[in-house]
Amino acid sequence: LMRSPASGHSYRAAARSFRNAGPAALDAQGNLYVADSMARHIVEISPAGTVVRRWGSPGTAPGQFNGKYAPGIGDITIGPNGHVYVTDTWNGRVQEFTPGGVFVRAWGRQNLNQTNLKPDDFYGPRGIAAGPNGDIYVADTGHKRIQVFDARGHFLRGIGQAGSAIGQLNEPSSVTVDGHGHLYVADFWNSRIQ
């Protein structure tokens, strides 16, 4: 049994529904979207607790999630537009879907180098969060920075750089944005929240 105190809904999903239940996000209607990181798909669960649909599979095509390494799906968030945004960790991209699981677009590219980085180069992106204005914040974990995009995937700005000083990051793993637009980052190897 999973329960959302915020909405009061209970979500019951049979154990066989998941190979490895990972990150989850709740939309404004009370639908729960859960990333099954090992099966490389998203499972939508209604407020009544039934599995509505699944989408995604292992691979590199649009709508697929990298099946070579774990986690295939780093994180999931719901934008103010109701769309579902997913970090496809080892394909080095963000994918956007409608609430019904229809692929909309992807942005980013895997670049495992640490020099000559371009906007939307990713190295194993993990955390993702939608701000109240629709901006999408992505923890570019391996490049030790946060990248910010508009809801259509256009690069806006980068935040942070490698290091341990205030404002510097060492493998940011998770991000969240509050209702006022303040960003919070789990700075993994620096063992802190910024």
Side-chain angles (χ1 to χ4, degrees):
L1 172 70
M2 298 181 289
R3 182 166 179 79
S4 169
S7 68
H9 298 298
S10 293
Y11 302 89
R12 299 176 194 274
R16 68 181 183 277
S17 295
F18 300 98
R19 282 187 54 200
N20 184 316
L26 194 64
D27 73 11
Q29 292 71 43
N31 297 299
L32 183 66
Y33 297 85
V34 181
D36 190 336
S37 294
M38 297 305 289
R40 279 35 172 215
H41 60 240
I42 304 298
V43 179
E44 179 186 350
I45 302 171
S46 74
T50 58
V51 173
V52 175
R53 68 181 57 87
R54 305 167 195 273
W55 71 85
S57 61
T60 59
Q64 293 184 318
F65 303 101
N66 187 288
K68 187 173 181 181
Y69 305 107
I73 300 168
D75 202 2
I76 185 170
T77 193
I78 309 298
N81 60 1
H83 283 202
V84 180
Y85 297 86
V86 181
T87 49
D88 184 5
T89 300
W90 294 113
N91 279 331
R93 64 187 178 186
V94 171
Q95 296 197 66
E96 177 186 354
F97 300 88
T98 67
V102 176
F103 174 81
V104 175
R105 69 179 58 87
W107 67 85
R109 63 190 160 272
Q110 190 81 290
N111 179 351
L112 305 183
N113 297 316
Q114 295 294 332
T115 58
N116 301 318
L117 298 175
K118 296 178 177 74
D120 84 353
D121 278 352
F122 288 119
Y123 185 164
R126 300 284 197 307
I128 190 169
N133 66 350
D135 289 350
I136 305 298
Y137 296 76
V138 181
D140 186 5
T141 304
H143 290 144
K144 300 165 178 59
R145 63 184 180 175
I146 305 301
Q147 294 198 59
V148 186
F149 302 86
D150 70 15
R152 297 181 56 80
H154 299 111
F155 177 80
L156 299 174
R157 65 188 172 282
I159 300 171
Q161 61 182 343
S164 59
I166 299 300
Q168 294 181 329
L169 302 166
N170 192 352
E171 298 214 358
S173 57
S174 184
V175 293
T176 194
V177 182
D178 70 18
H180 301 290
H182 298 121
L183 173 67
Y184 299 87
V185 179
D187 188 4
F188 189 79
W189 288 116
N190 284 328
S191 301
R192 64 186 178 189
I193 303 296
Q194 293 199 71

